[in-house]
Structure formats: structure tokens, C-alpha cells
Amino acid sequence: MMLNGKVAVIYGAAGAIGGAVARAFAREGAMVYLTGRKKGPVDAVAKDVVDAGGTGEGAEVDALDEQAVDAHLRSVIDDAGRVDISFNAVGIPNGRILGVPLLELDVERFALPIMAYATSYFLTARLAARHMIAKKSGVIMTVTALHSRTGIPLVGGYGPAMAAKEALTRDLSAELAPAGIRVVGLRPQGMPETRTIKEAFEPRAKASGLTWDQWQDLLASRTHPRRLMSLPELADMAVFIASDRASGMTGTTVNLTMGSLDD
Ligand SMILES: NC(=O)c1ccc[n+]([C@@H]2O[C@H](COP(=O)([O-])OP(=O)(O)OC[C@H]3O[C@@H](n4cnc5c(N)ncnc54)[C@H](OP(=O)(O)O)[C@@H]3O)[C@@H](O)[C@H]2O)c1
């Protein structure tokens, strides 16, 4: 098992990516601490983890609340003695940020994703690193999207938010890697089995007249294998990057767009 004995904390663990990563980390032997804004959905994923023979515990933690993140991490340290992996998979509902042309977008709606994504990643990374530094080891991870690197209409502040997270990944690594802490992001293409991608489609349906199937085909046609990545494939990549096998990688965001976006 690639993560045997590792202690992982996941933010946004009730979401599509957070849940898939939690399950995959536990399958590979990690003790997984799952967190999210609402305890019920997080506990449901934790139950899946335990039912599958893994170790998982759910907690209500708002990943924008510094005190809540800090208190939870302290409870993890009390319980497990350390934290090895911090994975921020928080996602703001697309309905709140997409669909309005930049010309008509108000400042609040533009700034929401930039503030929320960058701040949550900063907080969870900084607080985890303060514990990891004592052991001179750890991995900090997050998820972005190809909007960080290419122009896409009707996405408001989402592209700048993803670019900010990728910049923060580099800067965190520049400061933390000398202390043994790796910082790596994952940049997948859209995974159509997630609510996020269905919601991202809605404004495009209105603007382009494409059906859901046609839109998926269009996204897939831009990849080299002519298909979109699945959640289990993304989770397997997350396992590898979080493992000691990826000890040579830090300060970067892994391009998982399967050819949709050139490096
Ligand atoms: N899905 C994809 O195909 C895809 C592709 C590329 C990039 N991404 C990016 O990856 C991230 C996760 O995507 P996803 O599809 O897994 O989204 P998701 O299913 O909507 O999950 C996001 C989770 O984050 C939680 N959350 C939001 N704000 C939070 C906060 N302040 N504290 C704690 N938890 C919070 C949400 O809880 P609530 O339900 O309570 O709001 C939800 O459980 C997003 O940034 C997304 O843009 C996704």
C-alpha cells in the first residue's frame, strides 16, 4: 500500500474530488481525517471508508475559518501524533460564480472565488505546515482547473482563482521544501460524473445551444485520447503524488488535462 501509516486531512471531503481522494487514500493505508462544512455528508463518506476496511473520521470544519481549521488539526495531532498530507478539495458552487459576462459582472461576484479559493488553500496549507515542519516532512496538495492557463468565457473570477492557487503552490514550495515539505497541485480536465461539471455546463447550454452529450464530446475531443478523465483516475494520481514515490516532485501543478492544455 502506497500510503501505509500516513495521516491525511482532507478539506471538502464530502465533495466529488474530496470524497474520491479520501476513499483512495484510505484504500492505500492512510488514516484519513475527513472535513467539510456540514458533518452529515462528511460522515457518510467516512462511513464508506470504514465499511471498506479503512480508517476514517469525519468532522465539521469550515476551511475558511482559521480557528476551526487550527482546532481540528490540533485534535488530529492529539489523536494520531502528526499530519503527513493536507489535501484541499474545497469547491464553491458554480451557480454562485459562473455564467455572467465579465462586462456585466459585479465586483463581489468576481472576487468571491478569488478570495475563497486562495484564502482557504493558504489557511489549510499554512496551518498544516506548522505541524509538518516539526517532523521535517509532509505533502500539501490541492486541485485546480485548466482555467488557470487558458481563456474561457463566462467563468468570472474562477480563472484568476485557479491561477492564484497555482502561484501559491509554487510560493509555498519555495518556502517549505527546504524544510522537507512538498507542495503539489493537480489540474484535471472536467470529470462529467461530478456535479461541478454539470453545473458548469448550464450557462454554456444557454450560450451555445449544445446538449449535455454534445458538450462532453466537445471537451473530450480536445484531449489526446478523446475521452475525459474519471474520478478514480484522478484519485490514483493523488495517491501517487501524496506518496513517498513522488519525493522528487514539488513546486508545481501536475497537468492532468490529457493533452487539452499544452505545458
Ligand atoms: N469536478 C471536476 O471535474 C473538476 C475539475 C477540475 C477542477 N475542479 C475543482 O476541484 C475542486 C473540487 O471540485 P468538486 O467537483 O469535488 O466540487 P464539489 O463536489 O462541489 O465539492 C466541493 C466541496 O467543498 C465543500 N466546501 C465548500 N466551501 C467549503 C468551506 N469553506 N469549508 C469546507 N468545505 C467547503 C463543499 O461543501 P458544500 O456542499 O457544503 O458547499 C463540497 O462538499 C473545485 O475547486 C473545482 O473547481 C473540479
Side-chain angles (χ1 to χ4, degrees):
M1 291 198 283
M2 291 179 79
L3 301 177
N4 213 7
K6 300 275 188 196
V7 177
V9 180
I10 300 183
Y11 301 93
I17 292 176
V21 167
R23 290 180 180 95
F25 280 6
R27 184 197 69 215
E28 295 294 332
M31 293 169 66
V32 182
Y33 291 84
L34 304 96
T35 72
R37 271 200 302 209
K38 296 178 206 126
K39 193 154 183 331
V42 171
D43 280 345
V45 183
K47 184 175 179 305
D48 282 356
V49 163
V50 172
D51 287 351
T55 310
E57 195 169 309
E60 185 178 310
V61 179
D62 180 342
L64 279 165
D65 178 339
E66 182 166 7
Q67 285 181 350
V69 174
D70 191 31
H72 177 260
L73 276 173
R74 286 177 197 279
S75 75
V76 171
I77 302 293
D78 287 347
D79 196 39
R82 62 185 195 284
V83 55
D84 300 305
I85 304 162
S86 169
F87 195 107
N88 187 317
V90 160
I92 316 297
N94 278 334
R96 293 177 64 195
I97 54 184
L98 304 187
V100 180
L102 291 168
L103 268 182
E104 292 160 25
L105 191 62
D106 64 63
V107 170
E108 253 174 54
R109 193 172 163 118
F110 173 71
L112 171 70
I114 301 171
M115 188 287 296
Y117 279 114
T119 305
S120 167
Y121 182 33
F122 166 69
L123 269 181
T124 56
R126 191 195 68 187
L127 291 169
R130 286 181 179 169
H131 294 287
M132 291 170 173
I133 219 153
K135 306 267 180 204
K136 292 203 178 311
S137 104
V139 188
I140 292 170
M141 297 174 67
T142 195
V143 194
T144 60
L146 77 181
H147 307 60
S148 62
R149 295 277 303 280
T150 192
I152 298 176
L154 300 176
V155 298
Y158 184 74
M162 294 298 107
K165 288 215 308 178
E166 294 189 4
L168 186 55
T169 291
R170 294 189 291 271
D171 294 342
L172 284 164
S173 176
E175 293 194 18
L176 299 174
I181 300 166
R182 295 190 294 114
V183 189
V184 185
L186 303 175
R187 188 197 304 131
Q189 176 52 288
M191 291 164 288
E193 70 259 52
T194 65
R195 179 187 69 176
T196 305
I197 296 307
K198 292 209 174 81
E199 285 178 4
F201 162 68
E202 279 156 22
R204 283 169 184 94
K206 282 188 207 132
S208 66
L210 292 176
T211 65
W212 170 238
D213 284 340
Q214 286 168 334
W215 191 57
Q216 286 179 73
D217 289 346
L218 180 68
L219 292 185
S221 73
R222 295 176 183 150
T223 70
H224 292 176
R226 309 283 187 266
R227 70 170 181 85
L228 293 169
M229 177 174 271
S230 68
L231 271 174
E233 285 178 312
L234 173 70
D236 283 345
M237 284 305 302
V239 165
F240 173 72
I241 301 294
S243 79
D244 293 338
R245 295 271 188 89
S247 59
M249 177 170 275
T250 190
T252 193
T253 296
V254 184
N255 183 348
L256 299 175
T257 65
M258 299 203 295
S260 302
L261 186 76
D262 286 337
D263 289 319

